[in-house]
Structures are given as C-alpha cells and as structure tokens.
Amino acid sequence: MAKRWRRRMGVMILCSMAGTTLMLALQGRIREAVPLHLCSVSALAAAVLAFSPVPFVVDFLWLLGMPGAVLALVFPAPAVSRWQTAFTACYVLTHALIVLIGLSALAMGERPRVGRAPQVLLALQALAVSAFFANRALGTDFLFLAAPPAGTPLEGIYRLSYGVYITFLQGMMALLAWGMDAVGRRLFGGDDRPADFFAIQNSPDAV
C-alpha cells in the first residue's frame, strides 16, 4: 500500500508541474517554466524518488528540498497568473508533495546519509551558476538571484544592498543544509545504509 501511494504521489507532482507549465505557456511565459528554481529541481527529484530509490536524491531532499518546500509554504510567493486560483493550487500541491514524498521515503526505511551537506551545497552552486546565466539570457529570476519574491522577509534584506542579499542567500542555504545534516545525525545516528526500498517492495506486506 505504501509503495502504491508513493507512486501515486509521484504522478500527482508531475501532473501539478505540468499544469503550472501549461498555464505559463498559455500566457506566453514558457521561459519561466525552465526548472531552475530550487523547488522545481526538488519536485523533479521527488518525482524520481517516488518510483525509484536514489540515495543522493534522499540526501538532497532532506538537506534542502524538504525544508525549502516548507519555507515556500510558510511564506508563499506564487507567480501572478491569469488563472491565479489554479496556479496557486498547483504551487501549494507541488510543494506539499515534495515534503510528503520525502517523508514517505523515510517511512519506508530510506535514510539521508550523514555528512553529505558539502556535496549537496556543491550541486546547489552548480544550479546557481546555471540560473545566473539563464536569468541574464531570459530575463527571469530563477533562484531569486535577481530580486527576492514579493511579500517575503527577503525583501527587507534586499533593501539593505544587493551584496548583502546574495550573501544572505548563500549563508541561509548553507545553514539550512548543515542544520538538517545535524538533525539527521541526531534522528538517524551514523546509519549510512542504502535505501531499503526494494527490500520493502519484496516483503510480504508490500502491495
């Protein structure tokens, strides 16, 4: 049953992202659908995890994807759309499913590996470089490198200076990753075993 629901959530998050992409395309804003936001990458990673165990994806979602999605739900900043209600619904559903799929992986025995914050932050830096050049080429604001999302506390940091804003973003992501790594160490100890997804699938209780 757990396996079935996990896969259903994978289908749901892909449908939610497809709905967002379709609405952007119909408004002539398809460039904004390029998956270079942290939560876009996290949603794709969660979709992969819904169908197949990937240890680095578990690490990424635990350290950055899941807490980032929670922050996006606490301080929501969906883009303006002609179909705002539907667009916001997809926004909320996508971010909620990032968290739920990650939690389902933990419930099925998969664990983030301790000490993986440097690798995940390095991947984030590669994403940031890609987002920087995409923003310059497309006039977008992936990873909010150009300006903060409206209506969030980041606007106050941005008003201090752009340099302070970028430094704060970098520090916030580093503290988030290292903090979640410390939490994972306390919750899961030194258990660095691979995901137990296949073992659970083959158990008598799996359906």
Side-chain angles (χ1 to χ4, degrees), residues 69-143:
V70 170
L71 287 173
L73 291 170
V74 174
F75 303 104
V80 176
S81 172
R82 186 184 306 165
W83 305 282
Q84 193 63 55
T85 301
F87 196 91
T88 300
C90 287
Y91 172 96
V92 172
L93 180 60
T94 297
H95 289 82
L97 285 170
I98 292 171
V99 178
L100 291 175
I101 291 172
L103 290 176
S104 73
L106 297 178
M108 294 179 73
E110 295 160 67
R111 297 289 182 263
R113 297 167 297 180
V114 298
R116 297 297 170 131
Q119 293 92 325
V120 170
L121 288 172
L122 185 61
L124 179 63
Q125 292 304 310
L127 178 65
V129 171
S130 300
F132 173 79
F133 287 108
N135 288 341
R136 295 191 64 179
L138 302 175
T140 48
D141 189 20
F142 295 121
L143 289 184

Side-chain angles (χ1 to χ4, degrees), residues 5-195:
W5 275 104
R6 180 164 161 176
R7 289 176 173 170
R8 285 176 179 173
M9 287 191 291
V11 172
M12 289 171 63
I13 200 168
L14 290 173
C15 289
S16 180
M17 295 181 72
T20 298
T21 301
L22 178 61
M23 284 184 276
L24 289 172
L26 291 174
Q27 294 175 88
R29 297 160 54 192
I30 189 63
R31 65 185 183 278
E32 296 179 35
V34 178
L36 287 175
H37 275 302
L38 175 60
C39 285
S40 298
V41 174
S42 298
L44 291 174
V48 170
L49 189 62
F51 295 95
S52 178
V54 182
F56 182 77
V57 170
V58 178
D59 300 338
F60 181 84
L61 288 180
W62 174 258
L63 295 176
L64 288 180
M66 293 168 63
V70 170
L71 287 173
L73 291 170
V74 174
F75 303 104
V80 176
S81 172
R82 186 184 306 165
W83 305 282
Q84 193 63 55
T85 301
F87 196 91
T88 300
C90 287
Y91 172 96
V92 172
L93 180 60
T94 297
H95 289 82
L97 285 170
I98 292 171
V99 178
L100 291 175
I101 291 172
L103 290 176
S104 73
L106 297 178
M108 294 179 73
E110 295 160 67
R111 297 289 182 263
R113 297 167 297 180
V114 298
R116 297 297 170 131
Q119 293 92 325
V120 170
L121 288 172
L122 185 61
L124 179 63
Q125 292 304 310
L127 178 65
V129 171
S130 300
F132 173 79
F133 287 108
N135 288 341
R136 295 191 64 179
L138 302 175
T140 48
D141 189 20
F142 295 121
L143 289 184
F144 306 114
L145 295 179
T152 67
L154 290 175
E155 286 187 308
I157 306 297
Y158 183 78
R159 282 193 287 268
L160 297 176
S161 77
Y162 181 72
V164 170
Y165 171 68
I166 291 297
T167 302
F168 180 83
L169 285 183
Q170 291 275 9
M172 181 177 68
M173 291 295 100
L175 285 174
L176 192 62
W178 286 108
M180 290 300 292
D181 187 56
V183 171
R185 192 180 299 271
R186 291 291 299 272
L187 290 177
F188 310 121
D191 189 0
D192 199 32
R193 63 197 172 107

